Every structure is written in structure tokens, then in C-alpha cells.
Amino acid sequence: MALLTHLLACVFGTGSWAALNGLWVELPLLVTELPEQWYLPSYITIIIQLANVGPLLVTLLHRFKPGLLSEVAIIYGVVAVGALACLLLAFLWGFTSPVAGEPHSTAFFGLAFCLALVDCTSSVTFLPFMARLQPRYVTTFFVGEGLSGFLPALIALAQGAGIARCVNITRITNVTTGNNTAEGSQFQMETQYLPANFSTLVFFLLLAAMMVICLVAFFFLTRLPKVWELSRQNLCPSNITLHSLQEIPGDGPRLSGGGDSPRREKPASSDKGFHRADPEIAYSLAKFAFIYLLVAWVNSLTNGILPSVQAYSCLPYGNMAYHLSATLSSMANPLACTIAMFLPSRSLALLGVLSVAGTGFGAYNMAMAVMSPCPLLQHSAWGHAIIVISWVFFTGSLSYVKVMTGVILRSQSHSALVWYGAVEQLGSLTGALIMFPLVNVYSFFRSADYCSLQCPA
């Protein structure tokens, strides 16, 4: 039963961000087809943040009307909407209509908003639902959440989306001198995109299938007798807050209320599986503030700031560099989750160091985007490799921080995980609001065709 629950929790986790991760890894193809081109990532980023109305509504309901809508009902609804939106996107993604006199991808943006609404809402519903189970299943859920990026990336690698080559084109021109007209030839390098191994239609249909499988896994997860037995043992009271947490037998350490400082509670009973029970740890208010600060900062970088400029940092090195950075960085997420599963560390010092390292890689990626269309080592194979590696380590290091902060907060209370999701979305929103005007209004970043670049060697 435990193995089956691990499997269902993992499959359930794959539906948390599969749809939006699918959009990101398909961008190397979409930027060549849709009229927004290099601006497309920043549009998607701001659309995702507008969809924060979903988790905001759920958080407010959780705070002021607890029990009005069950997490189970909300999860059924959002996953079903995600599957339907992916299905419609398969057929309507290329539809455009004029807005302010220029063509825009209205159907794509509308359905992307639906997918963002689903995935953002999962941040404040999926994790609190998993808090009903034993802690070992939360880590398995994070592995599944990582796979929500890995599987679409694997499909995109098989698709070969956005691969291009530079071709020397000869153009015939007419040269007029006085009364004489003569033909001349002009040589020009142009970008020629290679056909994908399968279409965008098939790609989005596969995403829809992933969402349906997630829905089926959740259906069975809620109907395993052992799961609901664990739920009754582990579910925290709905009126628990971060400042007044009660001890729940068998559910790990809790903060005590009313004292000047947290005291240690009884350790949880032993838990066979991937991990032992949560260690006997109590966190001060300052440490809680530090944890939530990490959550906000890491998510502002990974979900708001850096995704907006990935095209600018990678495309000057060629479409292959963009394709590999988009797909391999998505694969770094589940790898980091797997490492966190077998080598967990609740050391706040280590999480702080990893956050600084990830920020450093992000700073390099941002610097290359600012230098676009002529970044460092542009004509060197080392430059191509470094930008891909930098994106992979940026995603991997900060993904580990995300997982471990989630595990830490899981050991504290149900409400702690709800606020984890809320702070996660707040950080993402802040990053997106900073970047959107820089990219789309002030044109701070410059794009160029890789094959026709005129940069010094």
C-alpha cells in the first residue's frame, strides 16, 4: 500500500506544473511561429502572474471561510480545466487576431491564462492536500512536481523544437547605372528552421494526456483506505496559524502558542519509508522569516525574473543553445528533487548558500541577456556550453531550496504549507512585474537574428 501511495503521489505531482512547463520548453518553436517572437516569454510570464487571482482567492477562502470549498473539490476542478485547456491549445495555439492594429496570439494567451490559473492554484491546494499524509509522501510529491518539468522537456527533445541552421542565400538584384540596368548578386546569411519531428498539435495533446493521468491518480489517491486513515491522523486543525500551533500526536514537531520562544514538542512516531519521521526541531520567528524570505526570493528568480529573458540570454548563441537550455534546465528540476529525496538537508545555512549560488548563476544569465545580441564568448563553443550549464545549475540549485523549504514547512503545520504557496506566488508576481516593463515597454533587451549578427569575433 505504501509503494502504491508513493506512485500515486508522484503521478499526482506531475500535474502541478506540467502545462506551463510544456509552454516553456516549446518556446524555441513558438517564438519562430507566433507574431510576438522574442517578446513571447515576457508575455507568458506576466500572464502567469495575472493568474495569481486563483491562489489569492483560495488563500482568502482558507482564511475567512474555512471549509466552504474542500481542497479535493478544488483540485478536481483545476486539473479538469487544465486537461481541457491543453486539448484546446493543441488546435487553437496558432490562431491570431488584430489588437491595436497588429496581430497577436489571442487564443494562445487566453488558453495560457487558463493553464496558469490551474498551475498557480495548485501551489495552494496540492501541497496542503499532501500535508494530510505522512511526510515521506510529500517528498515523493516533489519528485512528481519535478517530473512535471522533466517529461515535457523530454518530449521537446524528441520533437527537436526550434532547431535551426544558417544558410548562405544568393539574391539577384538589379543595378541601374544611368540608362543601363544590369543584374547583380548579393550573398546573405539567413536562418533556416528545420522541421520538427512531430507537430505542436501532438505536443499539446501529450500534455493533455498528462493532465488526465494526474486526474486519475488523484481519484485513486483519495480512495485508498490507508491514505484516508493517515489523513485522519495527520491533518492539522483548520484554525492553526504560524503563531499559534498545537501539538498533534504523531504529526511531527509543532510551535507552541503563548510563550516567549518556541519549545520542543514530542517527536513523531517512526515512519518507515524513504525518510524517518520529522526531526525534533522548533523554529523561531526569525528562522520562519528567513525561510519565507528564501521562498519569495527563489521563486521571484525562477518564475518571474529569469524566464522573461531566457530568449535574450540564449538565442544570441544560436537556436540549439536555446533549445538545450530550455529543456535541460527543466530536467534539472526533477534531478534536484530526487537529490532532496535521498540526501535531504534542513540546514538553513546550506539552503542559504545554495540560494546565493543559484543567484550567481542567474546573474550570469541576466548579464548575457543585457549584453544581447553580442554576449561574451558568442563565437566560442565554450560560450555555448557555459550558458546552457549556467541555466541548468541555476534551476537545479534553486529547485533544491524550493523542495527543502517545503519539507521544512510541512513539518510545522498545514497552514504553513498554505502560506508557502501564497509567498511562492507573491515572489513570482513581484519578479514578473519588475521585468515586464523592462522587456516590453522600455525595450531594455535587444534581439537579433543569430545568423545575421554583426558582432566582433
Side-chain angles (χ1 to χ4, degrees):
M1 184 63 70
L3 182 60
L4 178 59
T5 306
H6 275 296
L7 177 62
L8 291 176
C10 183
V11 175
F12 173 53
T14 61
S16 56
W17 288 94
L20 284 182
N21 284 328
L23 291 185
W24 287 118
V25 298
E26 191 72 355
L27 275 182
L29 187 149
L30 297 177
V31 296
T32 67
E33 300 288 339
L34 296 179
E36 289 77 15
Q37 296 183 332
W38 284 35
Y39 292 113
L40 193 60
S42 62
Y43 277 106
I44 293 177
T45 301
I46 202 66
I47 285 173
I48 293 172
Q49 305 318 316
L50 291 175
N52 279 307
V53 64
L56 176 62
L57 179 60
V58 171
T59 303
L60 292 176
L61 286 176
H62 174 80
R63 176 65 180 85
F64 297 107
K65 295 288 185 180
L68 180 63
L69 287 177
S70 70
E71 287 165 350
V72 173
I74 296 174
I75 292 172
Y76 272 126
V78 297
V79 177
V81 169
L84 180 60
C86 285
L87 181 63
L88 293 175
L89 199 60
F91 299 97
L92 302 177
W93 69 273
F95 179 81
T96 61
S97 57
V99 177
E102 295 184 358
H104 283 281
S105 310
T106 49
F108 177 82
F109 288 150
L111 292 171
F113 176 79
C114 293
L115 296 180
L117 193 65
V118 170
D119 290 5
C120 289
T121 305
S122 74
S123 296
V124 293
T125 54
F126 283 27
L127 264 179
F129 171 79
M130 291 303 302
R132 304 179 180 202
L133 310 183
Q134 292 177 346
R136 55 181 175 173
Y137 299 123
V138 175
T139 309
T140 308
F141 168 82
F142 273 117
V143 173
E145 188 177 80
L147 289 175
S148 71
F150 177 80
L151 295 178
L154 203 61
I155 296 171
L157 278 178
Q159 183 187 25
I163 303 300
R165 62 183 179 184
C166 297
V167 181
N168 195 349
I169 302 297
T170 302
R171 296 186 180 277
I172 304 299
T173 58
N174 293 324
V175 180
T176 302
T177 305
N179 295 326
N180 298 323
T181 301
E183 289 188 350
S185 59
Q186 181 180 2
F187 298 97
Q188 183 177 350
M189 296 295 293
E190 289 189 354
T191 302
Q192 183 180 82
Y193 292 96
L194 303 179
N197 296 325
F198 52 86
S199 66
T200 303
L201 168 68
V202 174
F203 180 86
F204 285 125
L205 287 178
L206 291 174
L207 283 186
M210 286 184 61
M211 296 302 296
V212 171
I213 293 172
C214 167
L215 187 62
V216 172
F218 180 68
F219 174 81
F220 286 108
L221 190 62
T222 59
R223 277 159 177 75
L224 288 176
K226 184 66 173 178
V227 170
W228 289 109
E229 178 183 342
L230 292 173
S231 299
R232 289 192 294 271
Q233 296 173 0
N234 288 283
L235 185 58
C236 305
S238 60
N239 62 345
I240 285 179
T241 64
L242 286 176
H243 301 290
S244 178
L245 299 173
Q246 305 171 2
E247 178 186 351
I248 300 176
D251 195 37
R254 293 288 179 268
L255 289 176
S256 60
D260 294 331
S261 62
R263 63 178 175 85
R264 295 185 183 275
E265 302 289 356
K266 296 178 182 180
S269 58
S270 62
D271 181 18
K272 297 177 181 179
F274 284 94
H275 298 300
R276 296 182 181 273
D278 294 336
E280 188 179 342
I281 297 176
Y283 294 96
S284 65
L285 185 60
K287 288 184 178 180
F288 264 116
F290 177 72
I291 292 170
Y292 280 114
L293 181 63
L294 283 185
V295 172
W297 174 249
V298 166
N299 282 280
S300 69
L301 292 179
T302 57
N303 299 339
I305 296 177
L306 269 301
S308 299
V309 298
Q310 187 170 20
Y312 295 93
S313 68
C314 298
L315 275 175
Y317 293 99
N319 289 81
M320 177 62 77
Y322 186 22
H323 177 66
L324 290 177
S325 67
T327 52
L328 295 182
S329 61
S330 294
M331 292 181 177
N333 187 299
L335 178 60
C337 294
T338 303
I339 293 174
M341 184 175 186
F342 293 100
L343 297 173
S345 174
R346 296 177 182 235
S347 168
L348 298 186
L350 175 62
L351 297 182
V353 169
L354 287 176
S355 298
V356 171
T359 301
F361 288 115
Y364 178 83
N365 299 336
M366 177 62 72
M368 296 307 101
V370 171
M371 297 175 67
S372 175
C374 299
L376 297 176
L377 301 174
Q378 183 180 25
H379 301 285
S380 168
W382 282 106
H384 295 209
I386 290 173
I387 192 63
V388 174
I389 292 172
S390 180
W391 273 99
V392 169
F393 278 92
F394 163 74
T395 304
S397 57
L398 297 187
S399 293
Y400 185 90
V401 176
K402 285 184 185 180
V403 173
M404 291 314 304
T405 52
V407 170
I408 289 172
L409 294 174
R410 162 59 183 83
S411 71
Q412 303 305 307
S413 77
H414 176 275
S415 293
L417 279 182
V418 174
W419 286 108
Y420 171 93
V423 173
E424 178 183 40
Q425 296 307 319
L426 178 62
S428 302
L429 174 62
T430 303
L433 291 179
I434 292 173
M435 293 306 299
F436 187 80
L438 294 178
V439 175
N440 296 84
V441 178
Y442 299 108
S443 300
F444 188 76
F445 301 91
R446 296 169 55 199
S447 61
D449 185 353
Y450 171 74
C451 294
S452 60
L453 285 175
Q454 300 294 326
C455 294

